[in-house]
Amino acid sequence: MSSPALSSETLPVEFTCDGAGRSPAFDIGRVPGPTATLAVTAEYDRGLINEPVFWTLWNVPAGVDRIPAGLPRTATVDSLDGARQGRPEGGDVGYEPACPPEGQPYTHRFQVYALGETLAIEGGTDHDTATETIGNAVLASRRFTVAYTRTSES
């Protein structure tokens, strides 16, 4: 698994609130034999205890070659055969672009998972529930870690 957008140590502006706010793409490649579906989570590090999740995507068919950039902010992603996206508590469904306070560097972690089952949770489920359900079905995963700092020019 790879992600052209996350290949350096810095999150490109395109995937933040200072740019287009698009979700990044992931090239899947090979997955373990018993993989039923794929999932993606994204969180940022605000300290030892506080690691808010800003994106959950699950039930992506295991046979896809690529999760494209710029997924629509919908509970169900038709272009990925009905994959589902979550939402933050009280927030909107889909990828929430990284938007740390100006001058504060944040570390962002994107994790792609191979899951052993199709998850029985609906699109629009809150990120905490989705993340816990994803965690209970993991066969393998790949993490991408990038940093982003907003500047006054952003």
Side-chain angles (χ1 to χ4, degrees):
M1 293 181 201
S2 64
S3 176
L6 306 177
S7 62
S8 72
E9 295 179 3
T10 303
L11 182 64
V13 171
E14 174 184 359
F15 306 106
T16 73
C17 66
D18 297 316
R22 296 168 14 110
S23 59
F26 295 91
D27 294 324
I28 302 305
R30 294 183 314 162
V31 296
T35 300
T37 62
L38 304 170
V40 179
T41 63
E43 64 186 14
Y44 59 94
D45 186 353
R46 286 199 330 200
L48 293 175
I49 297 174
N50 196 348
E51 296 180 349
V53 175
F54 62 93
W55 187 32
T56 52
L57 171 70
W58 64 93
N59 289 351
V60 175
V64 303
D65 294 327
R66 182 177 177 100
I67 297 171
L71 292 180
R73 294 192 70 170
T74 56
T76 302
V77 182
D78 293 335
S79 63
L80 291 174
D81 291 338
R84 309 289 168 80
Q85 294 187 97
R87 61 169 178 75
E89 188 67 38
D92 295 327
V93 169
Y95 180 78
E96 184 68 33
C99 200
E102 188 176 300
Q104 294 184 26
Y106 274 30
T107 300
H108 299 79
R109 291 184 292 271
F110 292 81
Q111 193 134 344
V112 181
Y113 301 90
L115 305 180
E117 62 188 77
T118 299
L119 304 183
I121 52 175
E122 294 299 317
T125 297
D126 67 87
H127 289 323
D128 290 341
T129 301
T131 301
E132 181 177 338
T133 306
I134 290 166
N136 290 334
V138 173
L139 297 172
S141 68
R142 167 83 196 277
R143 178 179 283 182
F144 302 89
T145 303
V146 292
Y148 185 68
T149 303
R150 295 182 75 202
T151 63
S152 58
E153 292 88 41
S154 294

